[in-house]
Amino acid sequence: MRTHLSCSIPLADDFRVDDVLDFHGRDTLAVAERIDGHCLQKGLMWEGQAASLTIRLEIGHADVELAIDGVTNANQDTLVQIVRRMLGLTQRIEDFESIYRTHPQLGLLIARQPGLRVPLSATPFEALTWAITGQQISIGAAVSLRRKFIQLTGVKDSSGLACYPDADKVANLSETELRQAGFSQTKAQTLIMLSREVAANRLPLETWMTTIPVEEIHKQLLSLRGIGPWTVNYALLRGFGWLDGSLHGDAAVRRKLQLLLGPTEKVTENFTERWLAEFSPWRALVAAHLWAIPSEFLPVVK
């Protein structure tokens, strides 16, 4: 027996549909996410059961369906909250754009990519495990490793989509299984340790979603071997929607900042940290604008 929920969520007419589809459609083999036109279908775990989430992005609204392989206490309000977060609709980007639209560098980016929001993972756990997976490797290698990680737990919903595993599933994996899937020893150990802490509710990710106690999140996550500041700040952004993490440790952020400022500036990690500091509490959103800069972007004329 399957449980079905549905809802419709209002969107601005100029909502940036492609940003959402590009983020969730990174794996071209479509093991756990399928993109069909403006429709995203994603396999995930919902209260411990396999499920598929379908989001159809239309002009002015998103039509949402959740099909769970089993009977649960799932309710529409929870579904609405999760999808609004995933689409970045809880982010007050209007305030950011109003403040910085005349800024000599950011104003140019805002004019080129107005309405830019940060799409989120379905859960903070997914964001954290993706951040760990992607440490110190290329995006292509990270996507391939993520695919193997999803397939390792072997959960599929009735539609045939593989489901991104929850903490309980990952906690039951062995280090050997993760190593055979291509993870380094450190990443394998970190994923298992993190998953066991989440499964035991010593890392209360669901509770943190409501209050986002940033200092406590930093403290607890940084205490785990294999998790550093970049991983925490990326997970805070993609998992919780916190827009003030400093992603100066991200190589793509530094590379795109170099494009923005031109060759006369030497964009080091320390320089990037100082440059982003000016834009608190929006540093992570500024990083997202930098990520969106096309490779052929012309620098600002000084």
Side-chain angles (χ1 to χ4, degrees):
M1 182 174 181
R2 303 192 88 193
T3 300
H4 293 267
L5 291 176
S6 63
C7 62
S8 183
I9 296 174
L11 300 176
D13 288 347
D14 59 352
F15 180 81
R16 295 170 59 96
V17 169
D18 288 345
D19 291 352
V20 174
L21 300 178
D22 289 346
F23 176 66
H24 290 284
R26 290 164 294 181
D27 185 358
T28 56
L29 297 187
V31 166
E33 294 93 2
R34 294 179 186 142
I35 305 296
D36 183 8
H38 285 176
C39 180
L40 161 67
Q41 187 179 17
K42 178 178 175 63
L44 72 168
M45 303 297 295
W46 187 283
E47 297 179 356
Q49 300 188 77
S52 62
L53 174 66
T54 302
I55 305 175
R56 295 180 178 85
L57 296 160
E58 309 288 352
I59 297 175
H61 61 96
D63 294 329
V64 181
E65 298 176 9
L66 177 68
I68 308 166
D69 289 350
V71 179
T72 74
N73 295 320
N75 63 76
Q76 189 182 70
D77 289 345
T78 301
L79 177 62
V80 170
Q81 291 171 10
I82 289 175
V83 175
R84 279 181 50 80
R85 287 178 54 259
M86 288 177 65
L87 299 181
L89 298 177
T90 61
Q91 300 164 22
R92 298 179 61 85
I93 64 165
E94 298 82 3
D95 295 346
F96 167 78
E97 293 187 356
S98 175
I99 294 168
Y100 292 111
R101 67 175 68 255
T102 60
H103 186 276
Q105 287 100 27
L106 284 193
L108 179 62
L109 299 187
I110 291 169
R112 287 179 61 99
Q113 46 214 33
L116 186 144
R117 301 173 184 273
V118 181
L120 266 61
S121 300
T123 66
F125 181 74
E126 180 178 346
L128 263 169
T129 49
W130 163 246
I132 293 166
T133 300
Q135 291 170 349
Q136 304 298 317
I137 58 177
S138 69
I139 185 68
V143 168
S144 176
L145 196 56
R146 176 184 185 268
R147 183 190 312 129
K148 295 173 184 177
F149 174 67
I150 295 169
Q151 292 172 321
L152 199 56
T153 53
V155 180
K156 290 186 177 182
D157 90 308
S158 298
S159 72
L161 273 177
C163 296
Y164 199 95
D166 58 14
D168 289 336
K169 292 293 183 184
V170 181
N172 288 322
L173 294 176
S174 68
E175 182 181 328
T176 300
E177 288 174 305
L178 286 166
R179 292 296 308 277
Q180 289 174 344
F183 285 89
S184 67
Q185 181 178 19
T186 298
K187 287 184 180 181
Q189 292 173 346
T190 300
L191 285 169
I192 292 172
M193 185 190 321
L194 169 73
S195 301
R196 290 174 179 172
E197 292 295 296
V198 173
N201 205 36
R202 289 188 291 268
L203 289 175
L205 299 184
E206 298 302 314
T207 301
W208 285 347
M209 282 174 61
T210 303
T211 58
I212 315 184
V214 173
E215 290 186 8
E216 181 67 15
I217 293 172
H218 268 278
K219 178 182 176 181
Q220 291 208 41
L221 289 180
L222 289 174
S223 70
L224 300 180
R225 183 174 179 269
I227 294 181
W230 178 86
T231 300
V232 176
N233 283 325
Y234 185 88
L236 278 165
L237 174 62
R238 292 293 195 186
F240 294 92
W242 188 58
L243 298 179
D244 196 31
S246 181
L247 291 166
H248 56 277
D250 188 284
V253 167
R254 297 197 301 273
R255 185 169 63 251
K256 293 300 183 71
L257 181 57
Q258 186 75 72
L259 281 177
L260 177 65
L261 299 181
T264 59
E265 298 285 3
K266 186 178 181 181
V267 176
T268 63
E269 191 167 323
N270 287 338
F271 175 91
T272 305
E273 182 177 18
R274 294 193 302 271
W275 190 86
L276 287 171
E278 174 188 343
F279 307 110
S280 182
W282 307 99
R283 289 175 294 175
L285 183 56
V286 172
H289 272 273
L290 291 171
W291 281 330
I293 292 176
S295 299
E296 67 275 12
F297 185 85
L298 295 175
V300 174
V301 178
K302 299 183 180 179

